[in-house]
Amino acid sequence: MLEINTSPVTLWNFANMMGDDMETNSFCGIQTYQTEGINDWSLSNKVVTVTPSRPEMPFQVRGQKGRILTSEEAEKLMKDQTLVSNFKQKKLESDAQKNWDLFYKRNSTNFFKDRHWTTREFEELKACREQNHLYHTERCKAFRCDLTKDSLLENIPADSVDVVTLIFVLSAIHPDKMQLALENIYKILKPGGSILFRDYGLYDHTMLRFKNGHKLGPNFYVRQDGTRSFFFSDEYVAQLLTAAGYEVHVNEYVFRETVNKKEGLCVPRVFLQCKFKKPDRNRIDLTC
């Protein structure tokens, strides 16, 4: 979904919204986490501080360290090294739009829920919801585009957007094309403008439950319906965004416990939540 708000704070919202697809429950205890490199399988013993959210909100954990695997989980991932064939991977890439269109068609009424957490997690979005005398529906424009190849400049002026949200979007893009998408967004973002990012974190439950035969590459998998998902470490996201020219302001893991009532499971969810900014041209760097 793409939407633009012509209030003083201009927002572009690129949303997939598949991440919180299970009902949230209380966080079940303190867990141990680790920092995870792009190709690093070590299990360091780092502990993160647990901070409760507001009383009316589900309990969650924020931290700079990734989740530590159990020995069984680590063994499962180590054994799952067989990749989907190059022929099938090319077909999945060519059919990506079709597979996502089919997903949304099948799940238009029975999958998606209201995501009230967005304004709680990203205070910048509250200002975008405030209407004013400049707002007119005829000035709003919605259009479809492929972030990896369609230039946003064809529909949006350069350096004109205050805030861009990437919520469970980048994980659906092939890793080889992620930087192209970020560079595309960079062109329309104002100097000092922000990207608000939330997506699947490394070792999220959805990553660990993939069976053999679904792996496309490091931390990259295909679902039964042909849609794909990538699982991010904080290092990987930082490398992507800085390579595209952004400055890192927040880059942290969010840990939750969620309940799947149908399967009777209480499972660990791992997300990565970040705020990146396009450098402000008017800022003077006084460091030597």
Side-chain angles (χ1 to χ4, degrees):
M1 177 180 68
L2 303 177
E3 67 179 56
I4 188 167
N5 183 344
T6 54
S7 59
V9 178
T10 305
L11 166 71
W12 271 90
N13 179 28
F14 303 91
N16 186 336
M17 304 301 285
M18 288 190 64
D20 287 337
D21 55 356
M22 302 171 72
E23 182 175 341
T24 303
N25 193 14
S26 297
F27 188 85
C28 304
I30 299 176
Q31 297 191 26
T32 307
Y33 303 95
Q34 71 165 23
T35 298
E36 173 65 28
I38 296 176
N39 294 305
D40 181 11
W41 291 91
S42 63
L43 298 178
S44 58
N45 194 25
K46 306 287 186 180
V47 179
V48 70
T49 302
V50 180
T51 305
S53 56
R54 298 197 304 272
E56 71 275 14
M57 297 300 176
F59 204 80
Q60 70 178 19
V61 177
R62 295 176 182 275
Q64 303 299 320
K65 307 299 180 182
R67 177 175 176 262
I68 282 187
L69 294 172
T70 65
S71 57
E72 292 81 7
E73 291 169 339
E75 183 179 4
K76 177 184 181 295
L77 289 180
M78 287 295 291
K79 288 182 177 179
D80 186 13
Q81 297 298 317
T82 303
L83 302 183
V84 172
S85 68
N86 288 334
F87 174 81
K88 186 174 180 180
Q89 293 216 34
K90 290 180 180 179
K91 191 172 191 311
L92 287 169
E93 178 66 17
S94 63
D95 292 345
Q97 178 176 328
K98 180 182 71 174
N99 290 333
W100 277 112
D101 286 345
L102 288 172
F103 170 86
Y104 287 115
K105 183 178 181 180
R106 287 192 301 267
N107 297 284
S108 59
T109 59
N110 61 356
F111 183 86
F112 298 100
K113 302 176 183 178
D114 290 337
R115 263 63 180 187
H116 302 293
W117 55 266
T118 52
T119 51
R120 183 187 77 232
E121 299 295 326
F122 300 115
E123 294 185 355
E124 293 87 345
L125 297 180
K126 293 180 181 178
C128 298
R129 288 188 171 184
E130 297 176 0
Q131 303 298 333
N132 61 75
H133 68 283
L134 295 177
Y135 176 80
H136 296 287
T137 56
E138 60 269 19
R139 297 177 61 185
C140 297
K141 182 177 183 180
F143 61 93
R144 296 176 62 183
C145 76
D146 183 339
L147 284 177
T148 67
K149 63 182 180 182
D150 300 334
S151 175
L152 292 173
L153 293 175
E154 295 179 2
N155 291 281
I156 310 171
D159 302 332
S160 65
V161 176
D162 298 279
V163 180
V164 169
T165 65
L166 284 179
I167 300 178
F168 299 102
V169 170
L170 211 59
S171 59
I173 296 175
H174 194 286
D176 292 346
K177 297 183 178 181
M178 289 179 184
Q179 189 166 340
L180 292 174
L182 294 170
E183 291 172 353
N184 199 357
I185 295 170
Y186 188 93
K187 296 173 183 177
I188 63 165
L189 201 62
K190 288 182 180 179
S194 299
I195 282 186
L196 308 180
F197 175 95
R198 184 169 171 125
D199 219 316
Y200 295 109
L202 198 64
Y203 305 150
D204 179 62
H205 174 70
T206 55
M207 174 181 176
L208 299 178
R209 69 183 180 183
F210 278 108
K211 297 180 179 179
N212 291 344
H214 290 260
K215 190 170 186 177
L216 302 172
N219 308 328
F220 191 38
Y221 295 84
V222 60
R223 303 181 183 90
Q224 292 284 359
D225 61 5
T227 60
R228 299 168 296 177
S229 186
F230 188 88
F231 298 85
F232 295 93
S233 68
D234 55 349
E235 294 96 336
Y236 193 96
V237 170
Q239 289 176 20
L240 276 176
L241 273 293
T242 54
Y246 298 91
E247 298 175 340
V248 180
H249 284 253
V250 177
N251 187 11
E252 61 187 5
Y253 292 96
V254 175
F255 307 97
R256 307 174 75 96
E257 286 277 348
T258 59
V259 170
N260 185 324
K261 291 182 177 179
K262 183 177 179 181
E263 299 181 11
L265 297 175
C266 180
V267 297
R269 301 306 307 271
V270 183
F271 305 110
L272 204 64
Q273 191 159 299
C274 315
K275 295 180 184 180
F276 296 87
K277 290 196 174 188
K278 183 175 181 178
D280 191 339
R281 296 171 185 160
N282 296 322
R283 188 183 62 190
I284 300 176
D285 191 350
L286 299 179
T287 59
C288 298

